[in-house]
Amino acid sequence: MIINKIKKVILDLIFPISCLGCGLEDTWLCATCLKKIPINEHLICPICHKKNNGSFCTKCSKSQSLDGLMVAAPYENNLIQDCIQTLKYKFIKELSSPLSEILARYLRTIDKKYKQPILTNYSQTVLTIVPLHTKRLRERNFNQAELIGQSIKNEFKFNYIPGLLTRQHYTQAQASLSRRDRLKNLNQAFSMPKSLDLSQKNVIIIDDVATTLTTLNECAKVLKQNGCLCVWGLVIARSG
Ligand SMILES: [Zn+2]
Ligand SMILES: [Zn+2]
């Protein structure tokens, strides 16, 4: 924790705070640049990318535990990439706030347009996050998904349970692994405290970036083994 703080002080000295988009001082992302970040206005099948309601189409649903995916913004947008990476790897916690706003803007749009039952039926939907292992949490000092979940639940009134899933063992960073190794790496990585009854509930899992969906699928598998009806992923962007 202290190391993170020292790191942050040094980073602030070397790189004074300025907007990642336009360089304006004293803010990580100014209001003008935040407004310019586009959001996705369509839901698509997470595999074949055909427009639908965001669920896996019949052809693509084989071996998926996850039911669907909502992706807030295009990863091709350089600014969104910068924001996510700066939050995660330079430990700039403050960026979770504009990123949450992007996610909220997206949810409002999707909610109006698609009337997704998972979004409209608040009382049946539990909002949770992809957990970090305590070791990684100590290194980073915060879970970016948790910060985002915290702000989202205020506006959308979901039943927010950040500790719904726990990470069993320390796994390597998924980004550094091949597709096959990602699956091996995450095998039985997640678990759920048995005391929680989630039967008849739907769950939305927040993560910052989804790539191959391995992590979200592993989380969904555990949630369904514990009685969940339907599990969706909600991410800021999808890379790869
Ligand atoms: Zn700016
Ligand atoms: Zn498909």
Side-chain angles (χ1 to χ4, degrees), residues 45-50 52 55-60:
C45 164
I47 304 284
C48 70
H49 299 172
K50 272 191 199 130
N52 63 2
S55 56
F56 293 88
C57 64
T58 328
K59 231 174 43 199
C60 301

Side-chain angles (χ1 to χ4, degrees), residues 91 140 160 211:
F91 311 107
R140 199 178 288 162
Y160 180 51
T211 309

Side-chain angles (χ1 to χ4, degrees), residues 19-24 29-30 32-33:
C19 172
L20 291 171
C22 68
L24 186 79
L29 189 67
C30 76
T32 317
C33 290

